[in-house]
Amino acid sequence: MTLAEILTSLFPDGHEVGVADGLVAGHGPFDGKSLAVIGIDGNTPLGIEGACTLAGHVLAVVRAGGDTPILVVVDSDSQRMSRRDELLGLNEYLAHLAKALLLADASGHPTVGLVYGHTAAGAFIATALATRVLAALPGAHPSVMDLPSVARVTKLPLDKLEAMAKTTSVFAPGLDNMVKAGAVHAVLDPETPLGPQIAALIAGIAPDDVRDTLGRDRAGRPQAHAIAARVMREAHGG
Amino acid sequence: MEKLNFRHSTTQALPGTRRQAIVGVVASGNLEVLLERSLPPDEFTVEIDTAIDGFGDVWEAVVADFVDRRQPGGLRITINDGGARPDTVALRLAQGARLMEAM
Amino acid sequence: MALKPVTFSADPGDQSWYEASARARLAGLLDAESFQEFIGPEQRMMSPHLPLFDLPRAFDDGMIVGRGRLDGQAVLAAAQEGRFMGGAFGEIHGAKLVGLLRAALAEAPAALLILFDTGGVRLQEANAGETAIAEVMRAIAQVRAAGIPVIGLIGGRAGCYGGGGLIAGTCSRLVVSESGRISVSGPEVIETNKGAEEFDSRDRALVWRTMGGKHRRLLGGADAFVGDTIGAFRDAALTQIAKAPAFDLATLEAEQARLEARLARFGDCHDATEVWGRLGVNDPDAVPGMTTEAFDALLARLPEAPHDAR
């Protein structure tokens, strides 16, 4: 689905969501109240200005009070890779955006991510992965790094990696593998209206971070939950 | 990757009371050695997981030399090896044994 | 320049942070003999994934977590071993930190310390590592919201890159040394993707002044700059615990203002020396060669920017 199709499906009565320089911001009527929307469109890399702008929108929602949910729509590149972004502290800007989303969620604004295109690496962490519940649409392609880049960094042959990727979900790019890891909670149905599907996700939000239990149940992260639980036990015991 | 196992009988137990120690880091040309005082005092075992295949005889010689020098009875040693040279292996084994003897 | 005499000392506080292993850093940072590890190496909880890639594993998966005391105060601490797989986040490595943060909510320590030394996500376990980083950031927000300071200490061989840089930006306070590089994309990654004209990763001076500890401290990306000893990190960690900001709207709005002001003031700078010049440093070219003492004196002379909102 394109962003326009998503917005039409979400807000059949119209909306005030716009896109400027690949950054999405606005709101629309939703479930009897308002839904705030931020995000990245058009496979745009996320740099310092973009992260700062989006964080500003999120903090404005928190400042306004109430319980307006925030939808984070994502079709991005990775973080913008440049000397200038790093010089000026890209890690702080991306972390600030993630913190704004985490604060919003903790302040009563349910945060829902929706990946409908690409996203990768730091841009993924700062946006979609910083929401409470993350959904995706079929055809989305979240990843950490594409296989040719993985091949360069790990010095493994690309054909070997491609063969391994078919059976080993823990490192392979793509939506199915992110679902197995528990990073993506649910894949939505593009054929039915998105509004009720998003509303159901918000209504079913768990109080705790359930991603490691999802990863265990879906066999994409077999041990993470057990390890975290064991650390907590040992910290409480001895 | 290759797995190697060696077992020796020793005439003495390694002195000291420390139950466990770890030395080194798994990195290229380096290794980590986990020492546990968990065997009968006249037994000694080493389990090795090494990144470099085909050096079993070198490992055997380094371990045998360590047993001769230290008489590490009672120790179970487990090694994760990132491709360390024999002198580095001998150094780490000696460091580990010293730690186990210290307290 | 006078050569500094080499000092030999058995005091762990005098040892180089950069050269020390993660275990040695913890031993020297915390009160003597106070560290108790959770999921110690004898439990052999190693990566289930590295054997698929024919790679050696480590007993602790490169992440050591536990409790200890810092000047008598109960703390939780996590340390990454930068020499094992570049300190990168894999499934178990990440889950141990997630578990430690969740434990903090129940145990209410005086602080939680993270000794970063990481290249980011371990690509052989990329999806597990990436997701763990997101879990860590969510857990840090919760721990901070519960009033527990999360202090990051950065000065290791691997620096603090990728998702590690984002986690660092989520901490209450950061202590860096000169070699404490903090960034998202590393120099090699930028060069590989954008070319050597964009970033020449072999130009070590460029790497240091773009991502290194002095620049981060001057810019406001870190709260304390220390010399490369375990004792200096210990002293700074103690000082910073008391200064940790709350995790609330006021802090994040102040950070928003701080980051917007940075864009407005330095957005057209091409090199760190331009940034330093605008900050009021008289001789920016001299900064990389400054001793810790000279750098401290420089910081004391500069009009202090509001650095503390993070």
Side-chain angles (χ1 to χ4, degrees):
Chain A
M1 288 178 96
T2 65
L3 179 62
E5 289 165 347
I6 289 167
L7 294 172
T8 302
S9 177
L10 262 178
F11 306 116
D13 300 329
H15 59 79
E16 289 175 52
V17 179
V19 184
D21 299 326
L23 301 176
V24 182
H27 56 88
F30 182 80
D31 219 12
K33 46 193 176 188
S34 176
L35 175 69
V37 181
I38 67 152
I40 309 171
D41 184 43
N43 198 29
T44 305
L46 184 58
I48 50 180
E49 290 89 354
C52 203
T53 300
L54 293 179
H57 293 316
V58 174
L59 292 178
V61 173
V62 179
R63 196 182 315 118
D67 59 356
T68 309
I70 302 173
L71 179 69
V72 182
V73 292
V74 182
D75 170 22
S76 77
D77 198 352
S78 68
Q79 73 274 9
R80 193 162 66 197
M81 292 181 186
S82 83
R83 176 177 163 182
R84 173 176 169 275
D85 282 272
E86 297 301 348
L87 175 72
L88 295 180
L90 181 60
N91 78 300
E92 289 180 82
Y93 287 86
L94 295 183
H96 176 66
L97 173 54
K99 282 185 289 187
L101 287 166
L102 292 166
L103 176 76
D105 184 56
S107 309
H109 302 274
T111 53
V112 179
L114 180 61
V115 179
Y116 62 97
H118 183 48
T119 184
F124 189 20
I125 297 174
T127 59
L129 283 174
T131 59
R132 173 70 75 96
V133 54
L134 175 55
L137 283 160
H141 190 76
S143 69
V144 178
M145 194 183 268
D146 61 79
L147 285 184
S149 302
V150 174
R152 275 200 301 274
V153 177
T154 60
K155 302 190 171 60
L156 289 167
L158 182 57
D159 54 350
K160 185 187 176 189
L161 282 177
E162 283 170 342
M164 288 179 75
K166 293 194 176 96
T167 52
T168 310
S169 79
V170 74
F171 84 100
L175 178 57
D176 290 351
N177 299 310
M178 281 299 172
V179 169
K180 284 182 188 157
V184 174
H185 293 66
V187 178
L188 304 186
D189 176 7
E191 304 303 326
T192 60
L194 292 177
Q197 296 185 70
I198 299 284
L201 283 177
I202 291 172
I205 261 174
D208 298 323
D209 192 335
V210 297
R211 288 175 285 196
D212 57 0
T213 53
L214 293 177
R216 176 197 61 198
D217 297 344
R218 296 167 179 174
R221 276 197 298 159
Q223 297 196 10
H225 177 75
I227 291 288
R230 188 189 289 208
V231 170
M232 292 172 70
R233 258 197 327 274
E234 292 195 18
H236 199 61
Chain B
M1 296 295 298
E2 185 173 345
K3 280 185 190 300
L4 301 165
N5 283 281
F6 301 104
R7 174 177 292 272
H8 288 260
S9 297
T10 58
T11 53
Q12 293 164 255
L14 188 84
T17 55
R18 186 158 169 171
R19 303 300 306 167
Q20 178 187 322
I22 185 164
V23 291
V25 170
V26 183
S28 179
N30 206 338
L31 75 165
E32 68 177 349
V33 178
L34 174 65
L35 306 95
E36 295 164 283
R37 201 184 294 272
S38 59
L39 297 178
D42 58 347
E43 282 183 34
F44 170 72
T45 65
V46 182
E47 302 148 61
I48 298 152
D49 231 339
T50 174
I52 315 281
D53 296 0
F55 285 86
D57 50 347
V58 177
W59 281 101
E60 188 172 3
V62 172
V63 169
D65 182 61
F66 174 69
V67 172
D68 280 350
R69 285 170 190 268
R70 311 297 293 220
Q71 287 299 312
L75 289 196
R76 173 192 180 191
I77 285 181
T78 319
I79 290 174
N80 286 319
D81 173 47
R85 290 157 42 110
D87 52 348
T88 306
V89 177
L91 174 72
R92 292 274 176 261
L93 287 170
Q95 284 175 333
R98 263 203 309 280
L99 276 176
M100 293 295 282
E101 288 169 345
M103 322 174 11
Chain C
M1 191 172 119
L3 289 172
K4 255 169 63 174
V6 177
T7 52
F8 293 96
S9 162
D11 182 346
D14 293 339
Q15 309 300 313
S16 162
W17 181 275
Y18 183 83
E19 299 290 343
S21 69
R23 288 179 183 281
R25 287 176 193 154
L26 282 171
L29 180 75
L30 301 172
D31 296 353
E33 306 293 330
S34 74
F35 184 67
Q36 288 176 272
E37 186 170 355
F38 306 144
I39 313 190
E42 78 288 348
Q43 295 194 32
R44 295 169 169 77
M45 296 306 299
M46 298 185 281
S47 164
H49 310 297
L50 290 178
L52 297 170
F53 293 86
D54 223 25
L55 288 165
R57 302 189 282 180
F59 295 118
D60 52 28
D61 205 36
M63 174 69 84
I64 300 150
V65 299
R67 74 158 66 85
R69 297 205 164 262
L70 186 66
D71 203 25
Q73 305 174 83
V75 296
L76 296 177
Q80 296 179 291
E81 177 49 67
R83 285 177 293 176
F84 173 68
M85 298 296 298
F89 282 84
E91 177 169 357
I92 290 180
H93 182 111
K96 285 167 87 172
L97 180 54
V98 171
L100 191 76
L101 285 155
R102 291 178 184 167
L105 291 172
E107 310 305 321
L112 188 147
L113 312 174
I114 305 177
L115 288 58
F116 289 96
D117 200 350
T118 185
V121 171
R122 186 185 299 169
L123 293 176
Q124 291 84 355
E125 309 179 20
N127 302 335
E130 181 100 345
T131 314
I133 286 165
E135 290 168 333
V136 165
M137 290 169 68
R138 175 167 284 272
I140 288 177
Q142 290 175 316
V143 169
R144 288 186 57 187
I148 301 163
V150 179
I151 311 294
L153 309 175
I154 303 174
R157 290 162 181 265
C160 186
Y161 284 102
L166 271 78
I167 296 175
T170 312
C171 291
S172 320
R173 287 296 198 191
L174 291 178
V175 178
V176 290
S177 65
E178 174 125 48
S179 38
R181 292 141 294 146
I182 308 172
S183 125
V184 187
S185 311
E188 289 81 7
V189 173
I190 298 175
E191 181 176 326
T192 302
N193 285 281
K194 304 294 173 190
E197 315 76 50
E198 179 65 28
F199 206 122
D200 181 356
S201 64
R202 288 162 307 173
D203 184 344
R204 300 320 283 175
L206 173 65
V207 173
W208 245 234
R209 70 179 185 272
T210 306
M211 305 167 172
K214 280 178 179 158
H215 176 58
R216 289 292 174 236
R217 176 65 185 89
L218 282 166
L219 192 66
D223 305 284
F225 181 85
V226 296
D228 176 43
T229 66
I230 296 177
F233 272 97
R234 176 183 159 95
D235 294 344
L238 269 170
T239 308
Q240 293 302 322
I241 287 173
K243 295 184 177 176
F247 186 78
D248 58 15
L249 181 60
T251 295
L252 290 194
E253 289 202 309
E255 181 171 57
Q256 180 78 24
R258 177 172 76 81
L259 296 178
E260 284 177 3
R262 185 189 294 173
L263 280 178
R265 191 172 178 197
F266 306 115
D268 60 337
C269 289
H270 185 64
D271 193 277
T273 49
E274 293 170 59
V275 175
W276 303 340
R278 285 187 200 178
L279 280 167
V281 178
N282 288 330
D283 184 5
D285 292 330
V287 170
M290 281 181 181
T291 61
T292 304
E293 294 72 27
F295 188 70
D296 281 344
L298 170 69
L299 286 172
R301 283 198 303 275
L302 292 176
E304 184 66 23
H307 277 173
D308 51 352
R310 69 179 81 252

